[in-house]
Amino acid sequence: MRDTLCALTHKAATAIALGTLLLLTACATLESPDDAGLTTATSMPRAYSETLDLDGRLSVQYQKDDKDEAIHVSFTWKQSKERNTITILSPLGQILATIAVTPDSATLTQSGQAPRSAADADALAQQALGWPLPVSGLRSWLQGYAIDAGNRTFIASPSNTKVTTRDGWHIRYQSWQDDNQPATPSRPKRIDLERQTEQAGKVAIRIVLDNWQTQ
């Protein structure tokens, strides 16, 4: 009887996690795993949270005018159900760009320039920054969720770390961090992204998450 109850509890937790993902708004600016017919690739390491505050570091390698370029910045990420705000900062703490994303549009603000708006947050970031930042995908990827190339839900864990998304990003969860709470699953610490692009050649993005708060 105890084994049966544990199995039912596990199935219920997985169903709740997938149900939460299905409730997220599907649009060009706030991507989430919400397609019908998805199957779970692995057990859930951590429940998805619609409200998330974190900060970390970005290292980006890309090509511009056939030359290799690299940039190292820090960032903050504030997420709610209806809004994302991503702030990119220089190594000295100066704000380089702020991207505010809602289900209807995305607005990018840079110092000394007029704000730019578009329906597609990823295209807006590419145009302004000169390198692709998959803002819409990161809403799920930062928490270890993705839609793979076969249109299945991927849920990362320390034993299940690699996925290729349906839009061509190769993701690897390189390291994990615990919150010093035995009952709390590990969360992603370092995430590596890689993709071949027409605009910026081979793009490699390393994300290190330093602080993480959910509600």
Side-chain angles (χ1 to χ4, degrees), residues 58-205:
L58 282 172
S59 296
V60 186
Q61 295 179 332
Y62 64 103
Q63 293 180 329
K64 182 178 180 181
D65 299 327
D66 296 324
K67 296 181 180 179
D68 292 335
E69 300 282 350
I71 185 171
H72 305 280
V73 296
S74 59
F75 73 98
T76 64
W77 176 282
K78 295 184 181 298
Q79 172 182 318
S80 65
K81 183 176 181 180
E82 296 295 337
R83 185 180 181 88
N84 273 22
T85 302
I86 306 97
T87 303
I88 301 173
L89 304 102
S90 74
L92 298 178
Q94 298 172 318
I95 296 178
L96 302 176
T98 300
I99 307 171
V101 186
T102 69
D104 298 323
S105 66
T107 301
L108 186 145
T109 304
Q110 291 175 293
S111 178
Q113 300 184 29
R116 307 183 192 184
S117 296
D120 189 322
D122 293 357
L124 180 62
Q126 164 78 48
Q127 180 184 20
L129 302 175
W131 45 273
L133 180 63
V135 176
S136 57
L138 286 173
R139 184 174 173 92
S140 299
W141 303 347
L142 291 176
Q143 298 191 57
Y145 291 85
I147 302 298
D148 71 14
N151 207 40
R152 296 164 298 190
T153 298
F154 170 88
I155 306 177
S157 70
S159 61
N160 191 45
T161 60
K162 298 180 182 179
V163 64
T164 298
T165 69
R166 59 184 176 187
D167 55 353
W169 283 98
H170 303 287
I171 305 176
R172 182 169 184 173
Y173 291 86
Q174 291 280 16
S175 63
W176 295 76
Q177 181 167 311
D178 296 323
D179 291 332
N180 297 320
Q181 299 179 17
T184 303
S186 299
R187 61 178 174 82
K189 172 66 176 178
R190 174 181 156 188
I191 308 169
D192 289 355
L193 312 176
E194 188 175 290
R195 183 185 178 188
Q196 187 67 36
T197 70
E198 294 183 5
Q199 301 89 346
K202 183 179 179 180
V203 177
I205 302 176

